Amino acid sequence: MIQRERRVYLIEYLKNEENNLKEIDIPTDEEAQKSLLRALMNIRPPRPISKEFITVQNAYLTEEQAKKGVVTLADLSPIQSGIYLWQGDITRLLVDAIVNAANRAMLGCFVPGHGCIDNAIHFAAGIQLRLECSHIMEQQKTAEQVGKAKITKAYNLPCRYVLHTVGPMIHSTVTKRDCELLAGCYSSCLDLAATYNLKSVAFCCISTGEFHFPNEKAAEIAIRTVKEYQQKNQNDLEVVFNVFKDNDYKIYKRLLRAD
């Protein structure tokens, strides 16, 4: 199969799983097809899927990943000892683990084509990631705690693992407890990384998007928690602060240069 044939196959498969989706027309435009495939994968509930689908999906996502390109630590320059700052798509990073800002259901984002990092990571990883998260949550039998973290495989991402953590959601004023919970997200991920003998972790800007934690305060907490961990634990764990927006890049660069 060429890439277009894989894409159409995947769309057809996902459409035919649901009666209310069968009448959707597959567009001829490549970008429109890509958007439709992502949307269908976004809304698919965690249930078993055929080996053939997984094989075709993996081939498709592998080729798409190759087009995006992979970024390694060797491509970056540390801004401080053991700390890197990189602006870009976290799904391109070849590190031991990337951090996903999840919600308490821990199943990924079900909003078609949504711009959140949870959506991007689950799509780039493939259907298997939601299935593994669902298995974890079925065993847990309760929503994920804010400030804690879980680890999964990364599947079609270039990294080895994904660390999923749920940050605090801010409704009005940021409280001391909110700050403690956000710090807990970072320390929980770092502890998990140490448990699995990981040597590099890339953090997104936890809670600053849909959860409305103020960007500056969140960055201060992130940097402080990571640096305290690195000073306390001599395990050579390297950390990438991954940002996507220009404003976050400016904040992290200023705080790390001033530190």
Side-chain angles (χ1 to χ4, degrees), residues 9 11 14 23 36 56 74 100 107 135 145 156 167 180 207 221 254:
Y9 167 86
I11 291 172
L14 295 172
E23 300 305 315
L36 176 57
V56 176
N100 177 31
L107 297 178
H135 178 68
Q145 292 184 57
N156 292 288
E180 291 171 348
S207 274
I221 292 169
R254 173 169 48 80

Side-chain angles (χ1 to χ4, degrees), residues 35-257:
S35 296
L36 176 57
L37 175 58
R38 177 166 176 164
L40 291 171
M41 289 176 66
N42 291 158
I43 66 175
R44 187 183 190 275
R47 61 189 175 206
I49 199 161
S50 74
K51 291 182 179 179
E52 183 180 4
F53 179 94
I54 294 298
T55 298
V56 176
Q57 174 212 247
N58 290 353
Y60 177 80
L61 292 176
T62 297
E63 188 163 325
E64 291 300 296
Q65 185 71 57
K67 290 177 184 176
K68 289 193 297 185
V70 170
V71 177
T72 71
L73 282 184
D75 298 319
L76 309 178
S77 298
I79 194 166
Q80 289 190 17
S81 178
I83 294 179
Y84 300 78
L85 175 62
W86 183 69
Q87 183 177 16
D89 178 358
I90 199 170
T91 66
R92 295 178 59 202
L93 282 173
L94 176 54
V95 290
D96 282 345
I98 63 172
V99 174
N100 177 31
N103 56 50
R104 295 196 67 199
M106 262 271 292
L107 297 178
C109 173
F110 283 83
V111 180
H114 193 252
C116 69
I117 195 166
D118 200 11
N119 191 299
I121 287 174
H122 271 264
F123 173 67
I127 293 291
Q128 304 98 303
L129 182 55
R130 179 167 284 169
L131 295 177
E132 184 177 352
C133 286
S134 177
H135 178 68
I136 290 171
M137 298 310 288
E138 285 172 4
Q139 290 185 319
Q140 183 165 293
K141 294 182 172 57
T142 184
E144 180 68 357
Q145 292 184 57
V146 177
K148 302 299 182 182
K150 293 287 190 296
I151 188 168
T152 65
K153 297 176 183 177
Y155 299 100
N156 292 288
L157 292 160
C159 58
R160 294 171 56 203
Y161 297 98
V162 180
L163 303 173
H164 307 260
T165 189
V166 182
M169 183 175 288
I170 307 303
H171 299 286
S172 55
T173 304
V174 178
T175 66
K176 180 182 178 182
R177 182 57 178 159
D178 292 327
C179 295
E180 291 171 348
L181 289 169
L182 184 58
C185 290
Y186 287 90
S187 58
S188 294
C189 288
L190 292 166
D191 287 341
L192 257 184
T195 299
Y196 281 78
N197 296 313
L198 307 187
K199 297 302 181 184
S200 55
V201 173
F203 282 101
C204 62
C205 300
I206 303 167
S207 274
T208 60
E210 297 296 315
F211 284 16
H212 308 296
F213 206 106
N215 299 59
E216 180 100 13
K217 186 65 176 176
E220 291 172 358
I221 292 169
I223 292 169
R224 181 173 67 249
T225 306
V226 166
K227 288 185 70 64
E228 287 176 353
Y229 177 88
Q230 289 179 326
Q231 290 167 3
K232 183 179 179 181
N233 299 274
Q234 301 299 316
N235 55 7
D236 299 323
L237 179 62
E238 296 186 290
V239 168
V240 180
F241 288 115
N242 167 250
V243 299
F244 193 73
K245 297 178 180 178
D246 291 342
N247 184 50
D248 286 315
Y249 181 80
K250 292 175 182 176
I251 289 171
Y252 272 88
K253 186 174 182 180
R254 173 169 48 80
L255 292 175
L256 288 165
R257 292 294 190 195

